[in-house]
Amino acid sequence: MNRGLVWVAALALLLAGCPGGGDEASDVDSKRLAAMRSEPVLKLAIGEPYGEAGFYVSDKRPAHRGKVSADLAEPGALAAARDRAVQAIVGLRGTGWTVFHTRCATNTFTAAAYKVVDKVSYFAQIEGVELEAKVSVVLQMRAPQSRESISDHFADRPPAVPAGQTCLETRQTADTNGTPIVLDELAPQPGGPAKADGHR
């Protein structure tokens, strides 16, 4: 193969999003993805949930954490969407998740939870928004990528918000409960600064 064709092939791989040089899905990351996919709360999904195992591009760039994303609500009223979110919260609690934060505003709401299995912390976030009479409720789960130095990002064990007392469950439209923490899609930048407060 001549040099021109080699460059064309390399460029095609780059444009296709190939994370060249990294392990796209190690056995550990595949198992973490399978663990998230097996969560019973996904039975509430509308359509097929989307999942991707964690991977890394290089040791100089942040690792991509494993994730699962699922739609929870058909198009409809915000009140009905909030009810679906409450069903998901109850489902998470019932299978060992700690729901530690909720926030409600007029046209948006969010809830966050974590679960630790075999010293690995999993994160779940429910986000709902009403925009131009259209309602979206999405459940996102994330897991640490296997090359991260920390596999339990909730070692401080943020306490649960009391069941039945979150703003979603009490139908409040302007309230916050618990501690706002998000496990981001990307791990920290290697050798870079620590993540901002509330981000892990």
Side-chain angles (χ1 to χ4, degrees):
M1 181 181 290
N2 65 42
R3 289 183 66 182
L5 290 177
V6 170
W7 279 107
V8 169
L11 180 61
L13 286 173
L14 181 63
L15 293 175
C18 177
D23 56 353
E24 293 183 25
S26 69
D27 288 344
V28 172
D29 292 305
S30 294
K31 288 178 182 177
R32 292 177 183 179
L33 174 62
M36 291 188 287
R37 283 186 175 277
S38 70
E39 283 293 329
V41 71
L42 291 176
K43 293 177 182 178
L44 294 173
I46 306 297
E48 187 68 23
Y50 167 80
E52 182 178 46
F55 66 92
Y56 85 106
V57 177
S58 77
D59 292 335
K60 296 181 180 180
R61 296 179 63 182
H64 293 250
R65 290 166 169 158
K67 60 184 178 182
V68 171
S69 180
D71 292 324
L72 296 185
E74 297 277 12
L78 185 61
R82 288 168 70 101
D83 289 343
R84 291 288 287 179
V86 170
Q87 289 180 43
I89 287 173
V90 172
L92 288 169
R93 285 197 190 108
T95 53
W97 291 79
T98 299
V99 179
F100 65 90
H101 178 253
T102 60
R103 182 182 61 80
C104 303
T106 303
N107 295 318
T108 64
F109 57 81
T110 184
Y114 68 88
K115 182 178 185 178
V116 180
V117 180
D118 296 330
K119 300 181 181 179
V120 177
S121 61
Y122 295 85
F123 173 75
Q125 183 167 317
I126 301 165
E127 293 182 293
V129 61
E130 181 181 39
L131 183 62
E132 297 180 354
K134 294 182 180 180
V135 177
S136 169
V137 182
V138 177
L139 168 66
Q140 296 183 359
M141 295 182 181
R142 296 182 189 130
Q145 202 271 338
S146 59
R147 285 179 172 258
E148 290 187 58
S149 60
I150 299 172
S151 60
D152 181 359
H153 291 278
F154 290 88
D156 53 342
R157 301 293 185 266
V161 292
Q165 297 182 33
T166 69
C167 59
L168 278 164
E169 293 163 294
T170 59
R171 296 186 177 273
Q172 298 295 313
T173 56
D175 199 7
T176 300
N177 317 104
T179 307
I181 300 170
V182 175
L183 186 68
D184 296 324
E185 290 190 25
L186 295 177
Q189 174 72 36
K195 285 183 174 280
D197 289 347
H199 291 266
R200 300 182 178 180

